[in-house]
Amino acid sequence: MNSSMKGLTAVITGASAGIGQSIAVALSKEGCRVALLARRENMLEDIKKECSSAGAAEVLTIRCDVSSDEDVHAAVKEVKDKFGQVNILVNNAGVSGGGNMLTAKWEDVDRALMINLRGLMLVTHSFLPLMKDTGRGHIINIGSIAGRQTMGGGSDYCATKHGVVGFSKSLFEDVRELNIKVNVINPGFVRTPMGSSFKNVDLEKFIQPEDIADTVVFLCKFPRTGCPVEIEIRPQFSPYTKS
């Protein structure tokens, strides 16, 4: 469990805040070279400095909307030109859905589908050749507890996260003999801008983004003879409060 990650190349989507930011910093502390992908390019510069201070071997920032084929393919080329390979891919980019299907705007539903599921699959498909060439690799998808249960007012979000779980487990079967691991992490309430929008909850009892980042490091260091394909993380204490 103490295997060194120093010098490995990690790509993190949705790296501009929240879980993605924490993962980027955690992997930087392990000495990885990190490529930070996000739509909000202006926010990446501060995180680049944070990663460099944390010990990253090198840091590359790329403006990338994972729902755009053009952006993703350009990002792959930039990472290949800079680092030559990819060892770790963390698919973290995600958005909330359109809400209650009776009142949801289709453009919000479509956006959730394009980013949460199609975008994750597109990024994976596009970076896999670089990972395959190294002879080993690691893909970690950030899902949600919503991928294991359902909730009113979140049918499109739940659909995307159920899709992430199904995709991750199927992908594992596709690439396991190539020495590529696949994990999906399904957190409950996480204290991020998205998670903090819930009502009647105690934010102090939420999972912290750093908890997810620590789980990513744990998975990356897990012995090569095994693969924890799916991990569910819930708040230790119920965050629900009386309305």
Side-chain angles (χ1 to χ4, degrees):
M1 294 291 290
N2 296 317
S3 57
S4 174
M5 297 167 62
K6 188 173 182 179
L8 297 182
T9 298
V11 175
I12 305 104
T13 69
S16 62
I19 293 173
Q21 178 181 358
S22 292
I23 292 171
V25 172
L27 294 179
S28 295
K29 289 178 179 178
E30 296 293 329
C32 291
R33 303 184 296 181
V34 294
L36 312 177
L37 278 58
R39 290 173 295 159
R40 296 174 290 186
E41 188 174 19
N42 61 314
M43 297 179 67
L44 288 177
E45 286 306 312
D46 288 339
I47 298 169
K48 179 179 181 178
K49 295 176 183 177
E50 188 177 1
C51 289
S52 296
S53 298
E58 292 182 82
V59 185
L60 175 66
T61 63
I62 304 173
R63 188 209 168 276
C64 180
D65 181 343
V66 299
S67 68
S68 165
D69 292 38
E70 183 179 358
D71 278 11
V72 171
H73 294 155
V76 172
K77 183 180 185 306
E78 195 166 346
V79 171
K80 182 178 181 180
D81 290 345
K82 177 71 174 178
F83 296 136
Q85 64 180 33
V86 172
N87 307 104
I88 302 164
L89 171 62
V90 182
N91 283 306
N92 168 71
V95 295
S96 58
N100 190 308
M101 200 54 59
L102 292 169
T103 56
K105 295 179 180 178
W106 180 252
E107 54 263 35
D108 293 332
V109 175
D110 195 38
R111 180 168 172 263
L113 291 167
M114 289 293 289
I115 293 176
N116 295 0
L117 184 54
R118 184 189 183 275
L120 181 146
M121 296 173 70
L122 171 63
V123 170
T124 302
H125 181 265
S126 301
F127 275 103
L128 257 177
L130 276 180
M131 188 172 289
K132 180 182 176 183
D133 289 345
T134 68
R136 62 182 287 180
H138 209 130
I139 299 168
I140 301 175
N141 297 326
I142 307 301
S144 169
I145 195 67
R148 277 301 177 193
Q149 60 189 34
T150 58
M151 58 184 178
S155 56
D156 54 344
Y157 183 76
C158 285
T160 64
K161 293 303 184 178
H162 274 73
V164 169
V165 173
F167 172 70
S168 300
K169 290 189 169 185
S170 296
L171 178 65
F172 170 70
E173 299 296 344
D174 287 341
V175 300
R176 62 191 302 184
E177 299 302 330
L178 299 174
N179 199 20
I180 297 175
K181 290 192 173 194
V182 181
N183 315 110
V184 57
I185 302 173
N186 294 323
F189 289 111
V190 182
R191 192 161 186 176
T192 64
M194 184 191 302
S196 299
S197 65
F198 287 94
K199 297 179 181 179
N200 303 321
V201 290
D202 183 351
L203 297 179
E204 295 301 320
K205 295 180 179 178
F206 275 30
I207 300 163
Q208 298 301 307
E210 292 79 11
D211 299 334
I212 309 304
D214 288 345
T215 306
V216 168
V217 173
F218 164 79
L219 290 171
C220 288
K221 291 187 173 186
F222 200 86
R224 300 304 297 179
T225 50
C227 183
V229 178
E230 182 178 11
I231 292 182
E232 182 176 298
I233 304 176
R234 296 184 180 232
Q236 177 61 41
F237 302 101
S238 175
Y240 291 104
T241 59
K242 293 182 179 180
S243 58

